[in-house]
Amino acid sequence: MLPALLAALAVQAWQHGALPLAAERVELRIEPGSSPQQVARAWAEAGVELPARLLYEGFRWSGEAARIRAGSYAIARGTTGAELLGKMVRGEEELATVRIGEGWTVRQMRAALAAAEALRPDTAALDEAALMAALGAPGQPAEGRFFPDTYPYSRGSADLDVLRRAYRAMQQALAEAWAARAPDLPLRSADEALILASIVEKETGQPADRGRVAGVFVNRLRIGMRLQTDPTVIYGLGPAFDGNLRRRDLETDTPWNTYTRAGLPPTPIALPGREALRAAVQPEATPALYFVARGDGSSEFSADLDAHNRAVRRFQLAPTASRPASIPPASSAPRP
């Protein structure tokens, strides 16, 4: 009788008194399927300076041991045993976040994931083909297939989990955009809409210009005019691009060079956001066939070549222009 009473008093003290910790903060990831005994032992090993048996008895006496959830948890000094148990029962995980940016390439996205705090790099050794196979999409190009957003995750979880969520989010966003597309678009599939959206994302400095930029490209596709957009050339150059786009680059044929090839490139060139997807399928009605950067992030749009050439002289060939005068701006010199 006395041992049971002492045990009850010890558990009561554990529940309402501050847990002794080895550091100011103690973190633990509980894996799915862990038993209450294993959870107690893991906390003791992580830095809760109590016998694992006493921790387990506290869980058991509460009557809620079976409700402990897997996840990543953290406690600070002053936390009681009851508060620790409540966190685990409610699933109040300690989450980190990673941001995937609009206009990023898959390579940039994977670099961000590799640098993310406490994210297990399970896909680090996979090339893009193997990555897509792991996501259940074998043979599908990886570029453009992940939705830009900020993703929370449990510390210690796998990067593949984040990638799977980003992939499914893009599938859903693309399906919604394609279902709401304008009639008579010169696009044959949702995949083509994704490709166009990626170009719009890279060509737009001001959000207000997205619809009109998309309108220019849709106008060109309708009449069989080459898109002639610099970001596709840069993407095709890959690691060989040194930050300085030269005339010879525009003339170097790759599958993504829209100066040398008609129509859309074979894959997206970046990760488009929701607004770029919407612009691609609901482009602004415009007579423009050309646009040129003004230097402040916005674009000047023109319906004919003469007006466009005047805009180029004004915004691109001025002495203060940052772009070399020998390089024609995106969508500047139409070719049949």
Side-chain angles (χ1 to χ4, degrees):
M1 183 70 179
L2 185 59
L5 178 60
L6 291 176
L9 291 173
V11 168
Q12 185 177 18
W14 168 83
Q15 287 178 328
H16 301 291
L19 295 171
L21 304 183
E24 289 293 330
R25 176 185 172 93
V26 173
E27 298 181 0
L28 177 68
R29 177 168 176 79
I30 301 173
E31 298 297 333
S34 298
S35 69
Q37 294 95 326
Q38 290 172 322
V39 172
R41 187 163 52 250
W43 276 116
E45 293 171 354
V48 176
E49 296 183 318
L50 285 177
R53 177 68 182 179
L54 181 56
L55 284 172
Y56 167 66
E57 287 298 331
F59 297 160
R60 187 175 68 83
W61 275 66
S62 72
E64 296 191 310
R67 296 177 59 200
I68 292 174
R69 302 183 188 182
S72 297
Y73 300 96
I75 56 173
R77 282 185 174 153
T79 302
T80 68
E83 289 169 341
L84 168 59
L85 180 60
K87 273 179 175 280
M88 296 187 294
V89 169
R90 292 187 297 270
E92 293 178 0
E93 294 188 65
E94 187 76 6
L95 300 178
T97 61
V98 61
R99 174 180 171 269
I100 299 175
E102 295 176 349
W104 285 8
T105 62
V106 164
R107 179 173 53 83
Q108 290 172 307
M109 176 192 70
R110 297 188 74 182
L113 293 177
E117 178 186 8
L119 187 62
R120 199 170 71 238
D122 287 6
T123 69
L126 302 181
D127 61 17
E128 290 185 10
L131 171 62
M132 297 308 291
L135 291 172
Q140 187 177 72
E143 195 62 78
R145 296 289 172 176
F146 301 88
F147 189 72
D149 203 348
T150 298
Y151 293 90
Y153 60 89
S154 298
R155 295 170 181 272
S157 58
D159 58 359
L160 186 62
D161 294 336
V162 175
L163 288 166
R164 185 175 289 110
R165 288 158 57 201
Y167 175 73
R168 289 174 178 169
M170 180 58 86
Q171 285 183 304
Q172 180 176 349
L174 178 58
E176 290 172 355
W178 185 243
R181 67 189 181 277
D184 302 323
L185 283 179
L187 302 173
R188 295 171 296 182
S189 66
D191 281 359
E192 289 195 350
L194 182 64
I195 294 170
L196 179 57
S198 74
I199 298 172
V200 170
E201 190 70 75
K202 296 298 288 185
E203 277 283 24
T204 308
Q206 292 286 345
D209 285 344
R210 282 197 186 99
R212 195 178 300 183
V213 168
V216 169
F217 289 133
V218 165
N219 287 346
R220 287 188 166 214
L221 288 171
R222 280 196 176 112
I223 65 175
M225 186 175 178
R226 294 182 188 179
L227 298 185
Q228 298 179 304
T229 168
D230 291 1
T232 62
V233 177
I234 292 168
Y235 185 84
L237 292 173
F241 180 63
D242 62 5
N244 184 20
L245 191 63
R246 302 171 177 83
R247 182 176 294 278
R248 69 171 180 266
D249 297 326
L250 304 182
E251 298 171 349
T252 299
D253 184 53
T254 74
W256 290 271
N257 189 336
T258 54
Y259 283 85
T260 61
R261 299 196 182 197
L264 292 164
T267 71
I269 61 170
L271 309 178
R274 195 176 304 278
E275 295 305 314
L277 287 168
R278 182 179 293 113
V281 299
Q282 297 177 9
E284 183 176 326
T286 174
L289 285 170
Y290 308 87
F291 62 90
V292 64
R294 290 180 177 141
D296 62 357
S298 65
S299 297
E300 182 76 11
F301 295 86
S302 304
D304 61 71
L305 185 56
D306 288 342
H308 177 64
N309 285 336
R310 289 193 296 271
V312 170
R313 287 192 293 271
R314 179 181 177 187
F315 295 108
Q316 292 287 312
L317 303 184
T320 58
S322 60
R323 181 176 179 147
S326 61
I327 303 299
S331 306
S332 66
R335 301 177 187 179

